[in-house]
Amino acid sequence: MTRTNWAAFTAAAPELAHTAQERFAPYRHHVLATLRKDGSPRTSGLEVQFLDGQLRFGMMPDSVKALDLLRDPRFALQANPGEGTAMGGTGDIRISGRAYEVTDPAVKGPYAREVEPPEGPFHLFRTELTEVVRTYVEDDTYLVVESWRPGGPVRTVKRT
């Protein structure tokens, strides 16, 4: 399966990338799905950062979600849906991919200065995207699904 970073996704699908970042911006916490040792899913709250062309996750040392990703890098991330039951103007955004730990102090240092995590050690993960999906309602009539995978165009499907 082809994977790519956030900067490459932004170059390939700038409108969808912009909409995705806008959807993540209003809320601090989002939902991360990882895989437990037995393969069952685990969901956790997570703060995300879009920095230097990367989608990055910072986590407390030895948190269960960090341990899950260290064992199996596959993840799914869903933007906080916000208040109420409506999807809002930008709809629902889901990102899938793989997350890999960054240990290089030359990367972790600037990240820590920008994000200001709690004092002490932390896990930092960079992501490689395998899919980005936006779902929204158009004209109170259509359910619209926009999806992108590395190497391909944005595909749009409308359902009534």
Side-chain angles (χ1 to χ4, degrees), residues 11 31 41-42 49 51 68 87 91 102 105 109 129 131 134 137-138:
V31 179
R42 179 191 322 268
Q49 289 79 33
L51 298 170
D68 285 348
M87 282 196 278
V102 175
L129 312 179
E131 183 177 48
R134 174 184 178 212
V137 176
E138 183 179 279

Side-chain angles (χ1 to χ4, degrees), residues 51 107-118 120 122 124:
L51 298 170
V107 176
K108 285 184 82 171
Y111 173 88
R113 285 189 291 280
E114 178 77 22
V115 176
E116 299 181 358
F122 65 95
L124 178 62

Side-chain angles (χ1 to χ4, degrees), residues 77-91:
L77 175 67
Q78 182 158 357
N80 185 326
E83 297 179 23
T85 58
M87 282 196 278
T90 55

Side-chain angles (χ1 to χ4, degrees), residues 58-112:
M59 299 175 197
M60 293 172 39
D62 299 324
S63 63
V64 291
K65 60 191 164 196
L67 297 175
D68 285 348
L69 290 172
L70 290 170
R71 184 179 48 262
D72 186 327
R74 293 177 291 173
F75 74 88
L77 175 67
Q78 182 158 357
N80 185 326
E83 297 179 23
T85 58
M87 282 196 278
T90 55
D92 178 62
I93 299 288
R94 295 179 312 278
I95 300 170
S96 300
R98 295 176 189 262
Y100 298 100
E101 187 170 28
V102 175
T103 57
D104 183 352
V107 176
K108 285 184 82 171
Y111 173 88

